[in-house]
Amino acid sequence: MSKLGKFSVSSPKVWVLVGVGVAGIVILAETRRRRLRARKLEKEDFGAFVERFELLPSPQPPPPAARQLLSGLTFAIEDIFDVKGYVTGFGNPDWKRTHEAAGKTAVVVMAMLKNGATCVGKTVMDELSFGITGENMHYGAPTNPEMPSHIPGGSSSGSAVAVASKLVDFALGTDTIGCVRTPASFCGILGFRPSHGIVSTVGVLPNSQSLDTVGWFARDPSVLHHVGHILLQLNRVEPRKIRRFIVADDLFQLSKVPKQKTVQVVSRVAEKLSGYHPPKHINFGQYIASNVPTLKAFRDESGNLQNGISTLKALSSVMFLLQRYEFQTNHEEWFKLTKPRIGPGISDRVHAAINTTTDNIKTLYKVRTEMRAALQSLLKDDGILVMPTVADPPLKLNSNKALSSEFHDRTFALLSTTTMSGCCQVTIPLGKHDNCPISISFIAFHGADKFLLDTVLDMYSSLQEQANLISHSLPLPDTNGNMDASELLKEKGNAAYKGRQWNKAVSYYTEAIKLNETNATYYCNRAAAYLELGCFREAEEDCNKAISLDKKNVKAYLRRGTARESLLFYKEAHLDFKHALVLEPQNKVAGLAEKRLRRLLS
């Protein structure tokens, strides 16, 4: 016993073990303390930042010099912009590990500092600027302050969240295939993508040079305007122009947000303000099909899509091919040498780019040239195209699945318009629908950035006021009427339909519904006329009503399936055609559609 006691007190091994144990306890305690501190910081800054620092602005010139335009404002930058002395991370730790600190600060960041703004750090982004969800496997997803359990949108996710959560006054991001416009919409703030090539990208890591732009976010339209004034180097004073709004009716079909909360808001404001023509309406997809002939080679003719919608899908396909080709040119050597660890959602897209074998590259650039000419011809120097920014509300966080083909197709059918034409686009928040932020986008011709920024500054307060009024107004109830009169109106609608007078048919069916709103056939017939007009959202709503009144209405399922397929809701359309087959197993239309969609979904 005394031997053991002597050994335990005097042996150096024991003291080494004791020291290791104490050190382990200290390390564990410190690790826990740091984790708690990191969580606290993440909660405080909504997980928006990857690195905090302070770049002070240039000194304010003495009087009588004018006050610097951005004096007193703070801003953040996406981790794609160079800052002298810091490694630009590109959203990926392996990129950061294999690159040196920047020798110079990006031109656009210097411009902000020279005009009085203070930079407070770098923000989270999708890896290699290759996503639109805002989720990053390594740095997490910044918390969307409007919908904390949903994605913030990307790739400039942290910049958007920093602005939406009021951590900064404005932020810089990049937009290649929608990376400023998408998070601006999901976070309920203003986002501006300038005309391609107008704002300097010196000191900005490239994803795809033919598509990359430097964009910016703000909550206040005057701040958005000031930042644009500097980045676009706007010194000239232009005479005020009369503005023409052109509403892309077919693109609003892709969105579930009622037109009263989007198109109607713009229309009413345009009527009240001076200097605006009443909005005109257009089937934008069909216009592009007619004016961008090279796209025909990329269209999928096997589906049941209208010419316009299939053209917009083709346009987004060309956009991805061009992005992959240029990304491969920029980063293939680094990727193959480093073999970086990349998140599952981004990995598939990066590998597709690295392994791309594009033979028709000249054709891709030709589509881009034709798109710019088509938009220039449509908009001229006074036109503004009105369309939804995105088609769907933000997905839930950690969905554990890649973007569904439906979400993907609808989103990029909208985003590819500006990306492939190089025009300027602004995302404008218009309140909420079903507790989700909603927005609308204005697009002006290439080089009309000042014209577009001036429009936002002029209209913004009126748009917010009108959106608030409409969101709080109640729909007027329909009145009931005489049954015989409603049947007569239905027959007139049928005659107009057979005579291919679709609008007249809709009017007759609508009058019949006003007199008798419990007849499923009236809704189903009006849906058929809406389909012919390309009004797929209205057709879907009418079929919903018809099915709620008559669960065995086969035509309603068929027409709703057609409408949903045209809106790129493949899974829902497939279920409709399957249900039609349950009710009517020998229906050939339903059978062919079900097989086609089953192949597409697989």
Side-chain angles (χ1 to χ4, degrees):
M1 193 72 178
S2 61
K3 231 175 169 184
L4 184 61
K6 188 178 177 184
F7 175 79
S8 61
V9 172
S10 61
S11 174
K13 291 181 181 179
V14 173
W15 289 109
V16 168
L17 288 172
V18 170
V20 169
V22 171
I25 293 169
V26 170
I27 289 169
L28 285 172
E30 177 63 15
T31 302
R32 186 170 180 272
R33 187 187 70 79
R34 287 184 181 183
R35 281 179 182 168
L36 290 171
R37 184 170 178 271
R39 285 176 189 169
K40 184 182 178 184
L41 283 172
E42 186 175 333
K43 194 172 182 182
E44 287 174 357
D45 70 7
F46 292 78
F49 289 89
V50 290
E51 197 165 9
R52 297 298 292 261
F53 51 74
E54 190 174 67
L55 301 179
L56 296 175
S58 301
Q60 173 73 32
R67 183 177 171 83
Q68 290 171 323
L69 200 56
L70 304 178
S71 182
L73 299 182
T74 58
F75 72 105
I77 57 173
E78 183 182 0
D79 194 18
I80 198 171
F81 294 93
D82 285 346
V83 173
K84 185 177 180 180
Y86 293 85
V87 180
T88 308
F90 214 6
N92 180 271
D94 287 323
W95 179 279
K96 192 168 188 175
R97 175 179 57 81
T98 55
H99 287 79
E100 300 294 327
K104 291 183 178 180
T105 298
V107 169
V108 291
V109 177
M110 287 302 300
M112 301 296 98
L113 299 173
K114 287 177 180 177
N115 283 273
T118 301
C119 181
V120 297
K122 287 193 173 189
T123 56
V124 176
M125 60 179 288
D126 286 71
E127 293 180 78
L128 311 179
S129 192
F130 238 122
I132 62 163
T133 66
E135 294 178 295
N136 186 304
M137 179 181 77
H138 311 285
Y139 302 112
T143 303
N144 184 341
E146 293 296 320
M147 299 184 74
S149 61
H150 292 69
I151 60 172
S155 63
S156 306
S157 53
S159 289
V161 167
V163 171
S165 57
K166 301 182 181 179
L167 297 172
V168 293
D169 297 298
F170 68 94
L172 301 183
T174 54
D175 191 310
T176 302
I177 57 170
C179 316
V180 164
R181 293 164 285 167
T182 303
S185 181
F186 287 170
C187 293
I189 56 175
L190 290 157
F192 195 88
R193 176 193 162 104
S195 299
H196 183 264
I198 297 291
V199 176
S200 172
T201 55
V202 175
V204 184
L205 293 175
N207 177 286
S208 171
Q209 291 94 321
S210 295
L211 310 177
D212 291 343
T213 58
V214 171
W216 58 99
F217 303 93
R219 297 182 304 277
D220 186 323
S222 63
V223 173
L224 190 84
H225 196 275
H226 288 334
V227 174
H229 186 92
I230 293 162
L231 292 178
L232 299 163
Q233 300 178 35
L234 301 174
N235 297 316
R236 64 190 184 277
V237 176
E238 294 180 353
R240 181 178 171 83
K241 297 175 185 175
I242 301 295
R243 289 158 166 79
R244 290 183 301 119
F245 282 116
I246 302 167
V247 179
D249 282 336
D250 55 323
L251 301 188
F252 279 99
Q253 294 290 320
L254 298 174
S255 171
K256 288 186 175 181
V257 178
K259 287 185 182 178
Q260 292 93 324
K261 292 189 172 185
T262 52
V263 176
Q264 193 171 320
V265 170
V266 176
S267 298
R268 289 189 177 179
V269 171
E271 289 169 5
K272 291 178 182 178
L273 297 177
S274 62
Y276 294 85
H277 287 303
K280 292 187 177 180
H281 298 262
I282 186 176
N283 186 309
F284 183 71
Q286 289 183 3
Y287 174 81
I288 295 303
S290 301
N291 289 275
V292 186
T294 306
L295 267 179
K296 190 173 182 181
F298 297 91
R299 282 180 52 194
D300 178 8
E301 305 290 352
S302 64
N304 190 35
L305 302 179
Q306 271 206 352
N307 185 41
I309 297 295
S310 65
T311 298
L312 294 175
K313 277 190 68 178
L315 182 64
S316 62
S317 298
V318 173
M319 176 182 74
F320 287 124
L321 289 171
L322 184 56
Q323 182 193 27
R324 289 171 189 166
Y325 168 76
E326 293 190 342
F327 183 88
Q328 181 191 52
T329 303
N330 293 326
H331 304 302
E332 180 181 18
E333 184 180 348
W334 171 81
F335 184 85
K336 289 185 174 179
L337 186 66
T338 308
K339 296 180 174 56
R341 185 165 166 258
I342 300 174
I346 304 297
S347 180
D348 293 342
R349 298 181 65 187
V350 173
H351 278 90
I354 295 300
N355 298 317
T356 192
T357 54
T358 306
D359 298 322
N360 56 348
I361 187 62
K362 289 183 179 178
T363 309
L364 304 182
Y365 288 112
K366 188 177 180 183
V367 170
R368 195 173 71 120
T369 302
E370 289 177 358
M371 269 297 293
R372 184 170 298 184
L375 267 291
Q376 179 68 54
S377 177
L378 175 68
L379 300 175
K380 299 182 172 59
D381 66 348
D382 63 347
I384 296 172
L385 183 67
V386 183
M387 61 184 283
T389 308
V390 292
D392 295 283
L395 299 169
K396 283 196 172 183
L397 285 167
N398 304 315
S399 298
N400 294 322
K401 61 179 181 180
L403 291 177
S404 72
S405 57
E406 298 168 355
F407 180 91
H408 180 281
D409 287 352
R410 286 193 302 278
T411 300
F412 289 113
L414 298 174
L415 295 172
S416 60
T417 296
T418 302
T419 299
M420 288 301 293
S421 66
C423 293
C424 51
Q425 178 175 344
V426 64
T427 298
I428 304 172
L430 290 180
K432 290 190 173 185
H433 176 67
D434 289 342
N435 294 317
C436 293
I438 58 175
S439 70
I440 202 163
S441 272
F442 291 169
I443 297 172
F445 67 95
H446 184 271
D449 302 69
K450 184 180 187 303
F451 171 71
L452 190 57
L453 283 167
D454 288 348
T455 302
V456 177
L457 197 61
D458 189 48
M459 296 188 75
Y460 187 78
S461 60
S462 298
L463 288 171
Q464 300 310 307
E465 182 182 336
Q466 189 62 47
N468 189 51
L469 282 172
I470 287 179
S471 67
H472 289 91
S473 63
L474 296 173
L476 294 173
D478 290 331
T479 56
N480 293 316
N482 181 272
M483 293 287 281
D484 293 334
S486 65
E487 279 296 303
L488 180 62
L489 286 165
K490 183 200 78 172
E491 292 305 320
K492 286 185 176 182
N494 292 348
Y497 184 90
K498 288 176 183 175
R500 304 177 67 82
Q501 297 174 298
W502 319 123
N503 281 309
K504 189 174 281 188
V506 167
S507 297
Y508 282 129
Y509 293 137
T510 300
E511 291 304 312
I513 288 168
K514 286 180 180 179
L515 295 176
N516 180 10
E517 57 185 18
T518 60
N519 190 308
T521 301
Y522 299 168
Y523 291 100
C524 193
N525 287 8
R526 188 169 68 174
Y530 274 137
L531 286 175
E532 296 293 343
L533 289 166
C535 298
F536 306 119
R537 184 64 64 197
E538 288 83 353
E540 182 190 27
E541 290 171 358
D542 272 356
C543 291
N544 289 341
K545 185 67 177 177
I547 291 167
S548 72
L549 294 168
D550 178 7
K551 296 288 191 295
K552 295 184 178 181
N553 193 320
V554 176
K555 287 182 178 179
Y557 284 106
L558 290 173
R559 289 167 186 169
R560 188 170 72 176
T562 301
R564 285 174 166 175
E565 185 180 357
S566 297
L567 291 167
L568 313 178
F569 287 99
Y570 305 129
K571 289 180 183 176
E572 294 178 16
H574 183 237
L575 289 174
D576 280 333
F577 290 123
K578 280 181 70 175
H579 204 103
L581 282 173
V582 170
L583 295 172
E584 203 172 281
Q586 303 305 315
N587 191 296
K588 291 182 179 179
V589 173
L592 289 171
E594 192 277 332
K595 287 179 183 177
R596 180 179 64 250
L597 286 165
R598 180 160 25 97
R599 284 197 301 271
L600 181 63
L601 289 168
S602 65

